Amino acid sequence: MKKFFLVAAMAVATLTVNAQSKVKAGTWSIQPKLGATITSITGLDDMNTISTYIGTKKESQINVGATIGGEVEYQVDDRFSVAAGVGYIMQGKQWDDFNVGPKEVKDFKLELGYVNVPIVANFYLFKGFAVKAGAQFGFLTNAKMKATEKEGGHESEESLDVKEQLSTFDFSIPVGVSYEFDNHIVIDARYNIGITNINKEGNVTNRNSVFLATVGYKFRL
């Protein structure tokens, strides 16, 4: 009986070690990914262009967008890896409908597009599950204020380019978790904490606030 328990214990230990060592140190992987974003911008109601248009502050809504990109990961050891990626992400902010005199304004939002380059460290707590943190460098590609205006039965789509008012560079700190299934599908959830003031006007501080969830597939090299 003692031999049986000893053999069983050795078998369990072997399976555990093999499970933890499934990803070998010194290996590389590539992961294309896509997903959805929930974004906002702090202090944006005080930005001159927007506050002038709205007149008074209005309640903001959750702004939903999308992201697509990929990353390369290097496995330093069984518990630690470093990943660098690049991706395009839709960010911005949206407000509730409101009126300016007799004019009804709907779908008023600021749409931003960024190419982001995140570099993160992954700490694997157990097989497939990692917590992560790092640094991200963002580059603004487009920035427009959009709205649908309705007055006297006439409806029109309005758009204003505001890229010149915003900084073209954005630095943030990404933190999050991910889980890789046995079939190499990876679910990743991150929150990007904006550090840079993206407003070039100087009197108001505006920072990006971004939550994103992605699904990817990891190709082992």
Side-chain angles (χ1 to χ4, degrees):
M1 184 65 68
K2 289 183 178 180
K3 289 184 178 180
F4 172 79
F5 283 113
L6 179 61
V7 171
M10 291 177 64
V12 171
T14 301
L15 290 173
T16 303
V17 170
N18 288 338
Q20 291 178 345
S21 304
K22 188 175 181 180
V23 181
K24 295 181 180 179
T27 59
W28 294 81
S29 64
I30 297 177
Q31 182 191 163
K33 58 174 67 178
L34 56 84
T37 64
I38 298 176
T39 67
S40 186
I41 303 173
T42 63
L44 196 58
D45 295 315
D46 295 322
M47 185 175 175
N48 290 345
T49 301
I50 292 174
S51 60
T52 299
Y53 186 83
I54 293 179
T56 59
K57 293 183 179 179
K58 303 295 178 182
E59 293 296 323
S60 59
Q61 300 177 351
I62 294 176
N63 187 76
V64 178
T67 181
I68 185 171
E71 69 177 26
V72 176
E73 183 177 356
Y74 176 71
Q75 198 73 32
V76 179
D77 58 35
D78 293 344
R79 297 289 186 177
F80 177 72
S81 72
V82 178
V86 62
Y88 178 78
I89 183 171
M90 299 165 59
Q91 299 180 197
K93 190 171 184 178
Q94 186 169 345
W95 288 263
D96 287 339
D97 298 344
F98 59 95
N99 293 325
V100 179
K103 183 186 300 181
E104 182 183 358
V105 181
K106 301 185 298 180
D107 302 322
F108 181 58
K109 56 188 174 182
L110 175 63
E111 293 184 348
L112 305 180
Y114 282 91
V115 172
N116 288 333
V117 181
I119 300 174
V120 298
N122 299 296
F123 301 91
Y124 288 88
L125 301 184
F126 54 85
K127 180 178 175 286
F129 181 81
V131 296
K132 58 192 65 194
Q136 179 170 274
F137 311 95
F139 304 91
L140 183 67
T141 60
N142 57 277
K144 289 186 178 182
M145 285 172 50
K146 292 184 176 181
T148 299
E149 298 182 352
K150 185 176 181 181
E151 184 177 6
H154 176 71
E155 188 172 283
S156 62
E157 302 288 335
E158 304 294 332
S159 179
L160 175 65
D161 194 313
V162 294
K163 186 177 179 181
E164 294 299 321
Q165 300 180 37
L166 302 177
S167 172
T168 57
F169 176 76
D170 178 45
F171 177 76
S172 60
I173 297 175
V175 294
V177 296
S178 66
Y179 184 77
E180 179 184 355
F181 295 92
D182 289 338
N183 58 4
H184 305 304
I185 292 177
V186 181
I187 296 177
D188 190 308
R190 301 184 189 184
Y191 179 66
N192 296 336
I193 305 169
I195 303 299
T196 305
N197 181 8
I198 66 170
N199 183 9
K200 289 167 61 175
E201 293 181 344
N203 297 325
V204 180
T205 298
N206 306 120
R207 296 187 177 93
N208 283 313
S209 176
V210 180
F211 172 80
L212 64 158
T214 61
V215 177
Y217 187 87
K218 188 174 288 189
F219 295 91
R220 305 289 184 190
L221 300 181

